[in-house]
Amino acid sequence: MRTLERTYRIIFLTTALLLSLIGLVFVQSAGSYWGEVHYQDSSPFIVKQGVYMVISLAVAYVLVKSPLTSHPKFWTYCYIASTLMLVAVLIPGIGVVRNGSQSWIALGPISLQPAEFVKVALLGKLASGMKKHKEKSWQWQHFAWILLPATLIMLQPDLGSAVIMIVSAFVILFLAGYPLSFFIFLFVSGLGAFIALILAAPYRLDRIKSYIDPWNDPLGTGFQSIQSLFAIAPGGLFGHGFGNSRQKFLYLPEPQNDFIFSIIAEEIGFIGAAFIVVLFILLFASAFGIAIRLNNWNSFLIVTGMVSMITFQTFLNMGVVSGLLPVTGVTLPFISYGGSSLLTTWLAVGTILHYSANKKAG
């Protein structure tokens, strides 16, 4: 049994490292021309991503080794700090607007995206403080913990991050045995909120229309979907070869970010893209294998919540770039360019490995 647990940990960590290294390679390939045009440098993204990766691995190592990671108060402090950062992002002069969303805090050359960090903090707080025998008042308190950061994220607005956070939190609540009536209430409330969001910002309805028929507005809301398919489709079985993407030449905006999987499929084809999908499947399977062998109930919830977050975000990103889902600004875990995204993913990895190494923690 211990050998199996160790095998799961090795597979999980190995696939996480492999995916990050693959991301580093393709951030260079996808972003080289964009960097040359906008920064007169073909390698700004790989240099920054390399620094982000070193920092992320160091922080993950600290999480694995620190006894504080198992303490509920640690997650409470993380939740409070990340929520305050979400408030700060909305203050003019502190928050930075990019691509129509005020989602970043600029600290000199470094930019932080608090919506990324709050996802991990919320899951940790929910799972570490969950009781097996819940009173009704606790159920609504948990709902409030989710609603507060979700509202702040939507004010930026950042629908993708909010959806990932909420879905991952609901996985924890579901596994914790919340009654069906609670989820029915949340579903009806969520549907009403979704309709209200569309009415408040008509561009979201345009995105849905473009999802149904991207050629309805090929130079507007359907542009990214079409260019993404133009990258994936010609790739064939083996692709055009590493570095030989055509869509990265300003056809696909910022290809090193949300649509990097399109460039991967274009350059290394179906075989290469399928290999990356298999790595993600191994990552998810090994993480769930770690979770079900934990002795502590709260540890099981927090590990399952973390891997659910990575799993759902991966599914969402790949669904968007392949045209199966409407366009949302969601990065591909481990692979897309971005310090906040990479750090958040490795925070989740470090948390999972911590509870795996400390089975009675929680």
Side-chain angles (χ1 to χ4, degrees), residues 152-190:
L152 291 170
I153 291 172
M154 286 310 304
L155 289 174
Q156 296 178 5
D158 184 355
L159 179 61
S161 294
V163 169
I164 292 167
M165 184 187 70
I166 291 169
V167 169
S168 306
F170 283 2
V171 169
I172 292 176
L173 298 183
F174 177 77
L175 293 174
Y178 269 60
L180 184 61
S181 58
F182 183 79
F183 290 99
I184 293 174
F185 168 79
L186 293 179
F187 175 77
V188 174
S189 301

Side-chain angles (χ1 to χ4, degrees), residues 209-288:
K209 290 179 180 177
S210 294
Y211 161 64
I212 297 171
D213 180 15
W215 291 99
N216 184 55
D217 187 11
L219 297 179
T221 53
F223 184 77
Q224 285 182 304
S225 294
I226 292 170
Q227 298 305 317
S228 179
L229 294 177
F230 280 169
I232 295 171
L237 263 182
F238 301 104
H240 300 309
F242 177 75
N244 294 327
S245 165
R246 300 163 186 172
Q247 291 304 107
K248 70 181 181 183
F249 291 104
L250 306 185
Y251 293 105
L252 194 58
E254 299 191 61
Q256 70 279 359
N257 289 343
D258 303 346
F259 284 85
I260 194 170
F261 193 68
S262 305
I263 304 301
I264 291 173
E266 184 184 13
E267 293 192 347
I268 59 176
F270 175 81
I271 299 298
F275 173 72
I276 291 174
V277 171
V278 169
L279 286 180
F280 273 112
I281 292 172
L282 286 173
L283 181 91
F284 306 147
S286 58
F288 282 118

Side-chain angles (χ1 to χ4, degrees), residues 323-337:
L324 296 176
L325 295 171
V327 173
T328 55
V330 172
T331 57
L332 183 59
F334 299 105
I335 293 180
S336 290
Y337 170 76

